[in-house]
Amino acid sequence: MTTFIDISHMQQLIRKTGVQQFITELTGFIEDDYRNWAHFQKCRRVANHSALGVIELMPTASEILYGFKYVNGHPSNADKNNLTVMAFGALAETDTGYPLLLSELTLATALRTAATSVLAAKYLAPHHVRTMAVIGNGAQSEFQILAFHTLLGINHFRLYDIDPRASEKLKNNLTEYQAIHLHISDSVAEAVQGADIITTITADKKNATIIKPEMISDNVYINAVGGDCPGKTEIHPDIINRARVVVEYEPQSRIEGEIQNMPASFAVTELWKIINGNVNNRDFQHGLTVFDSVGFAIEDFSTLRYIRHLSEKYRIGEKIELVPQPADPRDLFSYIK
């Protein structure tokens, strides 16, 4: 039998755990898998693009488990009051191919993205950061703020979105977190001025210049999350040129990340090397550093592992017959007689 986690199950898992604890524990699962980077089969995600968006498959496998995520990105969906990003995923045994888990990943992806962002910041951001600017206040923004507040202790956040309603939505959603102080800014320049960390997480799929060179100092950490497909960027190329850039999986980031317009000779460092100590993280904690995050399959693999762990811990989820189990595995026809 395969465990099935739908939206209601996921809500139960998150409420049982608590959002902040969920992000904290998930960050640990992702960090563990990054430490085992060499043991994964890795490839770029498979993308099918249309005029209005993209649908992608993100697979990876360890010696024990195989996982994949289906995810879309359709910014114009918001005009129809539909989600712009939706996802589901599966976890299976590598040796047999037997599906162990089929799960919603729309909510979980928002949590996983925040967990990955704060994991990178744990290694790359300067110590004693106090203020973060959040540019783009849509569906991902609350999770980013909770992650950085919970794991890095940041209490002050400056918000900006081209749609003021998005910023108000964010502020209303986080009202109960009294230790978190939110200020809605009138412009990107106002939001980023003096910020220790800048998180960009916008939705428009275009080569935008949200952060310009004159807006930032040479001592800031940029958590660039929004640039995640060909033709979509958020950071001015001059900033990328003068920064130390860290990516998840270079072959994918060269196509989808902020570095997609950089020459092949432009040097970047993969995050796993820093987490594993192959590269000294202190070299990135001073000056201008950019985490060019596009999301990678291992992070979703970690999320599926964590969901399975919570499902077993709390006994939440439905057992379904996703695949037939005939008495004689050579007699599949028996199912339709």
Side-chain angles (χ1 to χ4, degrees), residues 207-334:
N207 285 318
T209 307
I210 296 164
I211 307 297
K212 300 177 182 178
E214 62 270 19
M215 293 180 179
I216 63 169
S217 70
D218 286 329
N219 292 288
V220 68
Y221 175 69
I222 300 178
N223 175 40
V225 182
D228 59 1
C229 67
K232 182 187 179 188
T233 56
E234 299 175 315
I235 314 298
H236 193 286
D238 288 349
I239 296 174
I240 302 299
N241 264 319
R242 77 177 205 250
R244 289 180 292 263
V245 177
V246 176
V247 301
E248 290 140 315
Y249 181 58
E250 184 175 349
Q252 183 170 291
S253 298
R254 290 283 180 188
I255 295 172
E256 302 182 349
E258 294 294 332
I259 63 170
Q260 63 185 262
N261 297 319
M262 294 294 109
S265 59
F266 182 78
V268 299
T269 303
E270 290 186 330
L271 179 61
W272 73 272
K273 294 181 179 179
I274 297 169
I275 290 175
N276 281 279
N278 301 60
V279 176
N280 193 334
N281 69 303
R282 285 177 292 185
D283 295 337
F284 296 86
Q285 293 176 327
H286 305 281
L288 176 59
T289 296
V290 174
F291 177 47
D292 183 8
S293 177
V294 300
F296 186 55
I298 288 177
E299 298 151 17
D300 301 303
F301 176 94
S302 307
T303 305
L304 290 163
R305 281 204 309 115
Y306 181 54
I307 291 168
R308 186 177 178 224
H309 162 75
L310 290 180
S311 173
E312 292 175 349
K313 177 180 179 179
Y314 294 118
R315 297 183 180 180
I316 291 174
E318 180 183 350
K319 297 296 183 181
I320 60 172
E321 285 194 90
L322 187 61
V323 294
Q325 291 183 294
D328 180 354
R330 296 167 296 182
D331 188 12
L332 189 61
F333 193 77
S334 63

Side-chain angles (χ1 to χ4, degrees), residues 4-177:
F4 176 56
I5 302 292
D6 66 8
I7 291 294
S8 65
H9 297 137
M10 184 59 68
Q11 288 175 308
Q12 293 176 60
L13 292 175
I14 294 170
R15 287 167 183 158
K16 279 279 189 181
T17 310
V19 176
Q20 291 169 285
Q21 186 66 22
F22 191 107
I23 292 172
T24 300
E25 293 180 357
L26 176 54
T27 301
F29 270 67
I30 296 171
E31 186 169 15
D32 287 345
D33 285 332
Y34 264 79
R35 290 193 185 281
N36 290 306
W37 182 270
H39 299 286
F40 281 90
Q41 296 181 42
K42 298 172 285 290
C43 67
R44 299 194 304 263
R45 54 187 157 206
V46 179
N48 290 83
H49 294 271
S50 68
L52 295 178
V54 63
I55 296 174
E56 299 171 327
L57 293 179
M58 301 173 65
T60 191
S62 69
E63 293 97 334
I64 301 171
L65 296 171
Y66 167 89
F68 81 87
K69 181 171 80 172
Y70 164 103
V71 63
N72 78 306
H74 289 78
S76 62
N77 279 6
D79 299 334
K80 306 167 190 172
N81 204 33
N82 292 326
L83 289 173
T84 60
V85 177
M86 296 164 280
F88 64 86
L91 199 64
E93 295 174 341
T94 301
D95 285 347
T96 66
Y98 190 88
L100 302 171
L101 176 73
L102 179 63
S103 177
E104 92 78 33
L105 284 181
T106 305
L107 283 173
T109 292
L111 290 155
R112 151 313 227 165
T113 302
T116 302
S117 290
V118 79
L119 173 62
K122 169 184 165 182
Y123 287 92
L124 303 174
H127 295 305
H128 310 301
V129 290
R130 297 176 300 172
T131 304
M132 183 166 88
V134 182
I135 311 303
N137 300 158
Q140 300 269 340
S141 53
E142 292 91 344
F143 301 95
Q144 290 280 328
I145 288 172
L146 286 176
F148 278 81
H149 169 67
T150 303
L151 278 84
L152 291 189
I154 299 177
N155 295 327
H156 296 275
F157 298 86
R158 301 175 190 161
L159 318 177
Y160 178 75
D161 196 287
I162 57 174
D163 183 356
R165 294 172 299 178
S167 302
E168 289 293 344
K169 174 269 307 178
L170 190 164
K171 195 168 185 178
N172 290 336
N173 281 342
L174 297 183
T175 300
E176 66 182 89
Y177 299 92

